[in-house]
Amino acid sequence: MTGPATAAQAMGKHTMGEHTMGEHTMSGTWLALVPVIAGAVAYGRAARRLRARGVRWPWRRTAAAAAGLAGLLAILTPVLTLTPLMPPGAHFPVHVVRHLVLAMLAPLLLALSAPVTLALRTLGGDARRLLLALLHSRVVRVVTLAPVVLVLEVGGMYAFYLTPLFAAAGREPALGLLVDVHMLLAGCLLTWYVAGRDPMPRRPSTRTAAVVLLLAAGSHDVLAKLMYAETLPRAAGGAEQVRLGAQVMFYGGDAVEVLLATALLTGWYARVGRRLRAERRRAAAQAPAGSVPAGAAPSGSVLDGSALGGSVLDRSVGSAAAVASDLPATSAGSGRSASSRVG
């Protein structure tokens, strides 16, 4: 016989951990929406201000900012995080998806949008000086050291999922909100360090950034395997949903880290290309008129990357003909023969 009590028991199969986890996802969400919306408005106004000055701001950066902020809005909107709307057994996997967006995907998109660069181009007076002082402050120099970046990113995740902090964050909304803020800021720090488009006090080399990314990715995978093998965190629900959440973390984290690696390599490729073009312009400006700068490929050559046509062949034939004309009459025939062979 099925009655209200039986239905309540069926609904009660969700553990206390699931219930508090749902409360955690709702904790402070309306408050968290305020800075996200304010950031979207500020970014849009700054981009419009640049366009009004006739300065082009890349549309890809605007699109990245819109996507990152939309992702944050989606996971922070209370109606999308209500526990009763989730099917049984989906609470922890949904929490992990939320974590991947909050701590990995949204920070990557925001790092690619270069908000600091946009602010430096649009702010003036005291606000710009304050931002520059912050970027060159000792605090920023410390937190952008590779070991500190890894400890804040990886250490925070291990502490949250492998200790009683997970259950405590579910019981205390203020603590849950603090954990969310840490996850977001740590993710922004990692993505800014590895593939950010903004200026840094000490920009790491591509090799150093790649090593940091590999260490972070390996640590994420180890964490997901520990959660799967030990069914951690205990307060997240039944073994099946904990293991499903661990699988989501493993494969979803790998997907985001592949995107992060792609952003790192495309940034490196763009920097190298800009440096080579700047060196060629400098060499061309310093070289005498009519000469080819040392280390620069002649215009129209294969190294210069221009289309192949008859210009290279014409110059070769012309050079051979000039040599032949300077030879004595007795060897002019051989010169003409050589010229004809080149032609």
Side-chain angles (χ1 to χ4, degrees):
M1 178 177 176
T2 303
T6 307
Q9 290 174 0
M11 293 295 293
K13 288 182 180 179
H14 304 317
T15 65
M16 182 178 297
E18 294 170 344
H19 178 67
T20 55
M21 182 169 54
E23 292 177 349
H24 167 218
T25 59
M26 291 182 61
S27 63
T29 45
W30 288 116
L31 180 62
L33 290 176
V34 174
V36 176
I37 296 174
V41 172
Y43 193 98
R45 291 182 61 182
R48 285 196 301 271
R49 192 177 304 167
L50 276 186
R51 286 195 295 269
R53 297 176 186 171
V55 179
R56 177 180 171 272
W57 182 251
W59 67 267
R60 292 181 182 85
R61 292 183 176 180
T62 304
L69 293 170
L72 290 178
L73 286 174
I75 64 171
L76 293 174
T77 303
V79 71
L80 299 179
T81 57
L82 289 173
T83 301
L85 298 180
M86 299 181 191
H91 299 79
F92 186 64
V94 170
H95 164 84
V96 172
V97 171
R98 180 180 179 274
H99 164 83
L100 290 175
V101 175
L102 178 69
M104 300 181 71
L105 182 57
L108 171 59
L109 293 169
L110 294 178
L112 295 178
S113 69
V116 177
T117 301
L118 181 60
L120 289 174
R121 291 187 180 183
T122 54
L123 291 177
D126 294 337
R128 190 174 189 275
R129 284 192 291 271
L130 181 61
L131 180 57
L132 286 172
L134 177 63
L135 290 174
H136 293 284
S137 65
R138 182 173 299 180
V139 174
V140 173
R141 290 180 179 273
V142 170
V143 298
T144 52
L145 295 174
V148 178
V149 172
L150 286 172
V151 168
L152 291 175
E153 165 66 16
V154 177
M157 293 177 58
Y158 275 70
F160 182 61
Y161 286 108
L162 302 184
T163 70
L165 179 60
F166 182 88
R171 291 191 302 267
E172 299 293 336
L175 180 59
L177 181 60
L178 184 62
V179 169
D180 285 348
V181 172
H182 170 82
M183 292 289 186
L184 176 62
L185 294 180
C188 289
L189 180 61
L190 176 66
T191 54
W192 188 42
Y193 182 89
V194 171
R197 303 303 190 245
D198 284 319
M200 291 182 63
R202 288 189 299 266
R203 170 63 62 182
S205 65
T206 303
R207 182 177 303 175
T208 302
V211 169
V212 170
L213 175 58
L214 289 175
L215 290 175
S219 301
H220 293 165
D221 288 349
V222 170
L223 173 62
K225 291 180 179 180
L226 285 174
M227 292 166 58
Y228 186 93
E230 303 295 333
T231 59
L232 295 172
R234 304 293 185 193
E240 290 186 3
Q241 66 167 303
V242 170
R243 287 173 179 161
L244 178 58
Q247 289 177 320
V248 172
M249 179 177 290
F250 185 88
Y251 294 109
D254 282 352
V256 178
E257 282 149 1
V258 167
L259 295 177
L260 185 54
T262 303
L264 169 64
L265 294 179
T266 54
W268 165 79
Y269 185 82
R271 287 193 300 273
V272 171
R274 286 194 297 268
R275 186 169 64 246
L276 289 177
R277 289 192 295 271
E279 290 175 355
R280 288 180 180 179
R281 286 194 297 268
R282 252 190 329 267
Q286 296 173 358
S291 65
V292 178
S299 176
S301 68
V302 178
L303 294 178
D304 189 50
S306 60
L308 288 177
S311 58
V312 177
L313 184 60
D314 292 342
R315 284 196 298 272
S316 300
V317 173
S319 300
V323 172
S325 64
D326 292 337
L327 291 176
T330 54
S331 60
S334 61
R336 285 192 299 271
S337 177
S339 175
S340 62
R341 285 197 299 275
V342 174

